Amino acid sequence: MKINKWKMALLVWSAMFPFSTIISYGLAQFPFIAQWPLIARTFCLTCLLVPYMVCLALPFLTRRFQKWLQHEPHQPHTHPSISEQPVSAQTDEVQSETSHIVRQQYAL
């Protein structure tokens, strides 16, 4: 089943924003780090943020919210659409639906 991109983006943001805020605040408390150029502080932040997201936050959140990520309330779950069926099934279905039309044309 496909994962909704907007839901995954929301999960990523919900894990990344608090952690990056806390780490940025924590790094700013060290006087020597507060004097570093922005690019050095950002590098330090991302060195902590990426492993946290990949190893801890995202695996936990995707397991925890798996059903929500994959749930599509707008799609009925009863019968697959023609586009989801194999081509041979589509062909059989179209032939069965149109065979009576061909018979009616020859009967005229």
Side-chain angles (χ1 to χ4, degrees):
M1 206 175 240
K2 250 180 135 174
I3 293 178
N4 288 332
K5 289 182 181 181
W6 72 268
K7 290 180 179 182
M8 191 64 191
L10 185 63
L11 278 183
V12 169
W13 181 86
S14 69
M16 189 181 297
F17 179 75
F19 186 79
S20 64
T21 303
I22 291 168
I23 295 301
S24 293
Y25 178 78
L27 290 175
Q29 299 307 308
F30 295 106
F32 63 96
I33 294 178
Q35 303 301 319
W36 288 1
L38 177 62
I39 196 150
R41 286 180 286 159
T42 304
F43 178 77
C44 189
L45 172 67
T46 57
C47 284
L48 298 171
L49 182 62
V50 171
Y52 162 75
M53 292 296 292
V54 171
C55 297
L56 298 174
L58 290 179
F60 171 76
L61 290 173
T62 52
R63 275 194 310 271
R64 175 72 175 89
F65 293 99
Q66 183 177 10
K67 288 182 183 179
W68 179 71
L69 284 169
Q70 295 177 347
H71 184 254
E72 282 289 334
H74 302 296
Q75 293 180 352
H77 296 287
T78 56
H79 187 273
S81 68
I82 289 180
S83 62
E84 294 174 351
Q85 296 176 0
V87 174
S88 61
Q90 290 178 23
T91 304
D92 294 341
E93 189 174 327
V94 169
Q95 285 177 349
S96 67
E97 289 176 359
T98 58
S99 63
H100 72 281
I101 296 171
V102 173
R103 278 187 243 125
Q104 287 176 353
Q105 287 176 347
Y106 287 118
L108 295 175

